[in-house]
Amino acid sequence: MAPWVKRVFLHLLPRLLLMRRPAYPDDTPKVMVRTCNGTELQPQDYVGGRCPSYDDLPHYSGCRIHGPKEEDVVTPPMVEPHRRLHFCPDLQRAMESVHYIADHTRRYEDQMSVKEDWKYVAMVLDRLFLWIFSVAVLVGTCGIILHAPTLYDTREPIDMMMSEVAIATFHHHRGLT
């Protein structure tokens, strides 16, 4: 979406038309993550809405499946400080799958955000056209009514002058008062 479209249709016009963006209910599923230690991470444990990394987790004595963390194991001083960790192939494939799912979810959320922006632009345009239509109808109606010739004609109607029924009715009403 072009920056001018965002500025005009998402910020400026809604303010002029006294509109607010609709708040949709949060339909994100509440996920409970079980770590390989058997502990569970609640959504409030996530920092900034993201799942914590292994280093962000509270310090445990070690994983039952993969053994203790590297810091917990005494390493010889000759080991390189930046050596690459080697995981088992199953774990590596699982990590790649998780990264793929996370990337796919992120792209999907970005697409949904753009879709919601365009829906809001459509709502703003609907409201703008409603106001334009309402003003045009009101001005047109007032113009038609105010240009009616009978409003400004002060002469006596012709049917009152020429019609015998109207004259009789007029005299009859005049006689009652």
Side-chain angles (χ1 to χ4, degrees), residues 54-148:
Y54 185 69
D55 294 329
D56 294 337
L57 294 175
H59 296 287
Y60 300 110
S61 61
C63 176
R64 287 187 235 156
I65 298 171
H66 301 106
K69 287 175 62 176
E70 259 187 47
E71 297 93 44
D72 297 338
V73 177
V74 178
T75 57
M78 304 294 275
V79 178
E80 297 176 22
H82 299 294
R83 70 180 181 150
R84 182 176 169 88
L85 294 176
H86 294 285
F87 297 111
C88 61
D90 291 339
L91 181 61
Q92 187 68 33
R93 279 194 301 271
M95 288 174 49
E96 289 171 1
S97 298
V98 168
H99 283 290
Y100 173 78
I101 292 170
D103 289 339
H104 178 72
T105 304
R106 192 175 310 112
R107 280 192 305 259
Y108 177 75
E109 288 174 355
D110 290 343
Q111 289 174 352
M112 292 308 292
S113 173
V114 169
K115 185 177 178 180
E116 293 300 322
D117 285 348
W118 280 111
K119 282 183 183 180
Y120 189 58
V121 167
M123 287 175 57
V124 169
L125 283 173
D126 283 346
R127 180 71 59 93
L128 177 67
F129 290 139
L130 172 70
W131 277 105
I132 291 172
F133 176 77
S134 299
V135 167
V137 166
L138 185 67
V139 167
T141 303
C142 291
I144 289 171
I145 290 174
L146 293 176
H147 279 92

Side-chain angles (χ1 to χ4, degrees), residues 8-26:
V8 170
F9 291 104
L10 296 181
H11 301 293
L12 181 68
L13 277 178
R15 211 175 315 141
L16 291 174
L17 297 173
L18 304 174
M19 291 179 67
R20 282 194 211 142
R21 195 166 190 143
Y24 297 106
D26 188 19

